[in-house]
Amino acid sequence: PSENAKDTTPPSISFTAPAVDTHHRQTATVNATAADNVAVVEVRLYVDGDLHATDAAAAWSLGWDTTAFEDGEHELVVEAIDDDGNTATDTRSFTADNTPPVFAITPPTTPTASPVTLGWTVSDGQAAEADPAAAALPLPPRAKPSRPSIIAAMKAGSVDVLLIHGS
């Protein structure tokens, strides 16, 4: 080919991380694989249509600061650009989730009963992972300890819970 011949073959690009439809907090690393018959010179990351980050060196890795966006689903697009300006894109949806879940303990209706059953709810505006119907823990009767002690541990969805008794 002549030195003046323009490359008309677009590059290829695809997300390698994170997985599709995942939830992210703080900074998420977005990785992509890009290739071209000549050379990829830049990879760009767009969030909801706006340019967010660029990378001009292979192993294409870009950071997405999710705290700069409202919690909820966002469209991420990675774009590969080759030496002659040909482009290719790949699109995925990700969810920014920077609001911590709310954990509430339901006080026992008969606190002097033995055993006492504590109930709880865990709610998260993005992911409903806890099952409130299964969120109860019978606690055996026990004398008040002289110092705080862990009396129960459980997992409610993706939330680890420790119940501590004492002062």
Side-chain angles (χ1 to χ4, degrees):
S2 160
E3 286 184 37
N4 296 332
K6 180 169 172 44
D7 171 24
T8 59
T9 305
S12 63
I13 189 162
S14 63
F15 281 94
T16 57
V20 175
D21 294 327
T22 52
H23 291 241
H24 300 277
R25 67 179 49 104
Q26 298 180 3
T27 300
T29 301
V30 176
N31 295 323
T33 300
D36 186 61
N37 64 326
V38 178
V40 173
V41 295
E42 186 174 63
V43 169
R44 296 176 179 171
L45 172 65
Y46 294 86
V47 181
D48 298 331
D50 295 324
L51 181 61
H52 184 70
T54 61
D55 192 352
W60 312 105
S61 183
L62 303 141
W64 174 36
D65 178 9
T66 66
T67 63
F69 297 85
E70 289 186 25
D71 281 0
E73 188 172 286
H74 297 275
E75 180 183 82
L76 275 64
V77 175
V78 285
E79 177 184 44
I81 303 167
D82 73 11
D83 231 358
D84 280 316
N86 299 307
T87 64
T89 61
D90 190 17
T91 303
R92 283 201 182 162
S93 292
F94 295 103
T95 300
D97 185 5
N98 290 295
T99 304
V102 176
F103 179 79
I105 293 178
T106 307
T109 55
T110 54
T112 58
S114 179
V116 171
T117 299
L118 290 179
W120 70 87
T121 58
V122 178
S123 61
D124 184 345
Q126 299 301 318
E129 296 178 12
D131 179 4
L137 177 69
L139 301 175
R142 106 185 255 157
K144 182 177 178 180
S146 59
R147 61 189 160 102
S149 61
I150 296 173
I151 57 173
M154 71 200 95
K155 189 160 189 75
S158 62
V159 178
D160 293 320
V161 178
L162 295 177
L163 295 178
I164 300 175
H165 186 260
S167 52

